[in-house]
Amino acid sequence: MENEKSKAEIEGGELATGVPPVSSPAKVVFAHPSEEEFARILDFYRIQWQYEPRSFPLNWEGSPKVEMFTPDFYLPELDLYIELTTLKQSLVTAKNRKLRRLRQLYPDINIKLLYRKDYHRLLAKYGYGPLGKAKIEALDRILLSAPQIQRRVSELGAEITTDYVGRRPLLVGVLKGVACFMADLMRSISLPLTIDFMAVSHYEDRANGAVRIVKDLDQSVTGCHVLMVEDIVDTGMTLHYILNYLAGHKPASLEVCTLLDKRSRRLVDVPLKYIGFEIPDEFVVGYGLDFGEEYRNLPYIAVLKPEAKAEPTTPEGSR
Ligand code: IMP
Ligand code: MG
């Protein structure tokens, strides 16, 4: 908010010295409650933030008192400064003038002036935020933000690229939870490759007896370098079954890449070559993962509130 930084703070070594270290949110004392609210929203979406990390000199010619501008927040993942503002018109006008000046002097700095009502609109623009009120209410918290996921998927893709040089991997996904991960992962592998999908029945469909393949691969895996791509490995029972099935068809190699590993729940030991994130024993949705077919389109991965899980609208367990 409107904040005139004391000279002492400015002289404390943070004067336009580039990006300082990430502040520890626990220790931050906010000048205004709406700043704290904004910080909480950012925390919810797992967006990194720094509070007032940098002061920009705006006017230093011929005046003993340097005019400074200190944006409220910096969001390193978005390379974006945020200045929050009230609806007080007199302050807004002065602030707009400062902002114009800052943009003139520092054209490479990305800064936005935000009104309270703009919080969610801004987050939505960057792929965060609720896709609907009902959806967000069932979510406890964001576990992995969209940029966190994207960064890790790129790393996995780079690792796989290095490991498979000279071989053509066949990426095999199990529908439907793997849709987002497969789409992003294959685009971060810079090698010729092929993809295929299969679908299996689940315990919830137990009327059909044992687990079985309800959609088989279109192509033979014999002699292929098969890389199983999984959204999440939980007990490991599904994957164990599929790996046995694939191994029976004599691929040249067979490895697993999973985005999420809920290791504490593992019952069957399955060899995982590439792991995106190890996550706690909580039910997660988003980025392809569903609860009763919902939430697959969330761009982030969130923990579902246990009470939301207790009242399923549709049967759970469809992948
Ligand atoms: P597993 O045989 O227990 O390893 O089952 C793995 C499958 O269960 C995944 O492919 C998901 O479809 C589903 N699953 C397990 N945990 C979760 C979760 O937290 N959210 C959504 N689906 C899950
Ligand atoms: Mg599922």
Side-chain angles (χ1 to χ4, degrees), residues 49-67:
W49 55 268
Q50 297 161 8
Y51 183 61
E52 299 188 338
R54 181 174 171 184
S55 293
F56 296 89
L58 292 186
N59 200 342
W60 51 85
E61 274 163 18
S63 129
K65 188 171 172 291
V66 178
E67 189 186 7

Side-chain angles (χ1 to χ4, degrees), residues 212-241:
R212 65 192 175 88
I213 288 157
V214 293
K215 186 221 165 285
D216 204 346
L217 298 173
D218 293 336
Q219 60 199 90
S220 161
V221 301
T222 306
C224 292
H225 294 285
V226 176
L227 180 59
M228 274 294 305
V229 181
E230 270 281 14
D231 46 1
I232 181 166
V233 182
D234 186 16
T235 63
M237 294 207 275
T238 313
L239 185 58
H240 175 76
Y241 171 77

